[in-house]
Amino acid sequence: MESREKLLAELVVRSRSVPGAGLAGLVDEVGRRMGLTEVRMYVTDLQQARLLALPTSRAGEEALDIDDSPAGLAYRLERTQHTRDGGTVWVPMIDGVERLGVLKATAPVVDEELAGWCEALAGLVALLLVSKSSHNDPLVEAERRRAMTVQAELVWAFLPPRTIGSAHATSSAVLEPAYDIGGDAFDHSFGDGALHLTLLDSMGHDLASGGASAAGLAACRATRRSGGGLADIVPAIDRILEEWFTDRLMTAVIARLDTGDGTLTWINCAHPPPLLIRGGRVLPRMLEREPDLPLGWGFHTRVPPAVHTVRLRPGDRVLLYSDGVTEARSTRGDLFGEVRLTDTVIRAIGAGDPAPEALRRLVRDLLHHQDHRLRDDATIVLAEWHPDRYGAGE
């Protein structure tokens, strides 16, 4: 058998000239030379309901349910799953802390050593998948189950990965309706010893709303990356809206979490207040402050917004959400509400689910509550400060 180390190195080299549509076939070929009988790549669809197989020359299209399959279990728990006959492993493909899908590997017997090589292969494949997804339409299309509106295409182009993490903090986000979003957008990013969080909700549900949100994210990033703080970001967004989107108002929460000492600072412009989850329960009104006016009137270019501060404890979680979550109504007219929102998240976390899985389950409940017909954008960001989880150092 060929050296597995050399085969992984060969995969990296050959992947440089392989288009996205050919990546699954190349991975299958290299996997067979490693001693496997078949390797399949499955990526999650945009709404994280199904795992969709990337096509190879050896197999047809296939889709697996995330909530009811061994592949889905590997994805949900972020741990390798073995079949009872010992001939197949399902390995999560994770880029950093972002779940991309799963790798299916089969052999007459997948022993512990071979399973370890399958995990190494899955980790490498995840990196290759991310490197090609930005400029290979077949990989992007593989994650979609239907056509996307222009405003949704615009907003998704500006969004970061759904989950990011470091040794000290993690942030995960979801946004629905995935194929028809209009005014909501989120951002999270690490820099200067901090986790930066943004949630924007632009009035309306059309292309102008998507454009306003995209421009708001761009103004936020440009200001932050030029050394500006929270109090500089808000007027920067306000100026953009006042000049280019004169008929659009926007609510926002913009926050900075110091990952060293747990200091959370934030600004709230007419948005639902963040929620603080500590020890398996919500601390009522802990992050509730008098909100500033919404963005878009130009007020914040003249009057600085109020910056609020609180010190978190290790293990604290901060939940940001748009009003499309709590104000979602069932066919009977029942609101989803803040209590149901927090209970769903807390139960999932209490059951041991990682944050991305807790939010995925929450969105499934939200969609079911509205009979899969969301009438407004629903965005949720869940950030956790965990300085002691991995020991000292970033």
Side-chain angles (χ1 to χ4, degrees):
M1 184 184 298
E2 299 176 78
S3 165
R4 288 168 175 154
E5 293 94 337
K6 291 183 178 179
L7 285 171
L8 292 180
E10 179 185 325
L11 175 59
V12 174
V13 173
R14 291 180 60 189
S15 69
R16 297 171 186 166
S17 58
V18 171
L23 182 60
L26 175 61
V27 171
D28 182 48
E29 178 202 323
V30 170
R32 288 171 183 271
R33 290 165 60 193
M34 292 175 65
L36 301 165
T37 55
E38 184 184 36
V39 179
R40 299 293 309 277
M41 294 172 60
Y42 293 78
V43 294
T44 179
D45 74 307
L46 203 57
Q47 295 177 298
Q48 299 185 84
R50 306 275 280 172
L51 289 164
L52 310 175
L54 294 182
T56 69
S57 60
R58 299 176 182 270
E61 294 291 337
E62 187 180 354
L64 304 170
D65 194 298
I66 287 179
D67 287 309
D68 189 27
S69 69
L73 186 62
Y75 180 85
R76 298 196 313 269
L77 300 182
E78 302 178 16
R79 293 198 300 268
T80 298
Q81 301 298 312
H82 298 252
T83 57
R84 291 184 179 180
D85 63 9
T88 300
V89 290
W90 298 93
V91 187
M93 296 190 300
I94 301 175
D95 174 45
V97 292
E98 168 79 336
R99 303 182 298 182
L100 306 177
V102 296
L103 191 78
K104 177 187 179 183
T106 60
V109 177
V110 183
D111 58 20
E112 184 176 347
E113 180 185 4
L114 186 54
W117 283 106
C118 291
E119 290 175 351
L121 178 61
L124 178 56
V125 168
L127 296 176
L128 298 179
L129 192 59
V130 170
S131 72
K132 291 183 175 294
S133 292
S134 65
H135 55 277
N136 276 270
D137 280 354
L139 294 179
V140 176
E141 293 163 3
E143 300 176 351
R144 300 183 180 182
R145 300 172 67 187
R146 62 183 179 87
M148 183 174 285
T149 62
V150 174
Q151 63 263 28
E153 191 78 59
L154 173 63
V155 173
W156 278 110
F158 274 80
L159 296 182
R162 282 182 294 239
T163 302
I164 62 171
S166 74
H168 286 175
T170 304
S171 179
S172 191
V174 288
L175 196 161
E176 286 285 350
Y179 298 94
D180 190 30
I181 52 176
D184 278 16
F186 70 86
D187 194 19
H188 45 203
S189 180
F190 286 104
D192 69 348
L195 170 62
H196 300 274
L197 304 167
T198 303
L199 202 161
L200 307 178
D201 184 355
S202 177
M203 180 185 70
H205 199 87
D206 54 16
L207 183 57
S209 300
S213 294
L217 287 185
C220 178
R221 292 168 179 168
T223 304
R224 187 179 71 232
R225 292 166 181 172
S226 299
L230 298 184
D232 303 306
I233 290 172
V234 169
I237 298 175
D238 219 7
R239 281 191 291 271
I240 290 291
L241 296 179
E242 188 179 27
E243 182 173 0
W244 298 103
F245 301 90
T246 55
D247 62 340
R248 299 288 157 168
L249 294 180
M250 178 185 292
T251 69
V253 170
I254 302 170
R256 179 186 186 275
L257 171 60
D258 188 309
T259 56
D261 64 13
T263 299
L264 176 72
T265 54
W266 77 99
I267 294 172
N268 186 341
C269 297
H271 199 83
L275 298 174
L276 179 60
I277 301 174
R278 175 178 293 164
R281 66 186 184 92
V282 174
L283 300 188
R285 307 173 68 89
M286 186 71 177
L287 304 182
E288 187 172 332
R289 305 288 189 275
E290 184 69 27
D292 274 283
L293 292 172
L295 297 156
W297 281 333
F299 177 81
H300 299 292
T301 61
R302 301 182 297 275
V303 180
V307 180
H308 312 291
T309 303
V310 72
R311 189 74 170 267
L312 300 185
R313 297 179 184 176
D316 280 355
R317 296 175 172 91
V318 177
L319 186 67
L320 312 180
Y321 64 95
S322 62
D323 57 13
V325 178
T326 52
E327 295 177 7
R329 290 185 180 273
S330 69
T331 54
R332 298 191 304 271
D334 300 326
L335 290 173
F336 192 78
E338 183 181 302
V339 172
R340 199 190 316 248
L341 162 66
T342 55
D343 282 353
T344 303
V345 172
I346 290 171
R347 282 200 310 272
I349 292 172
D353 288 337
E357 181 60 19
L359 292 194
R360 191 190 74 86
R361 290 182 178 275
L362 172 59
V363 166
R364 305 306 294 169
D365 288 351
L366 180 64
L367 290 169
H368 179 74
H369 181 76
Q370 280 208 306
D371 196 25
H372 295 268
R373 295 185 181 90
L374 291 182
R375 297 169 183 82
D376 191 10
D377 291 349
T379 307
I380 310 160
V381 179
L382 180 62
E384 179 184 357
W385 184 50
H386 45 71
D388 301 325
R389 180 176 297 177
Y390 306 109
E394 287 282 339

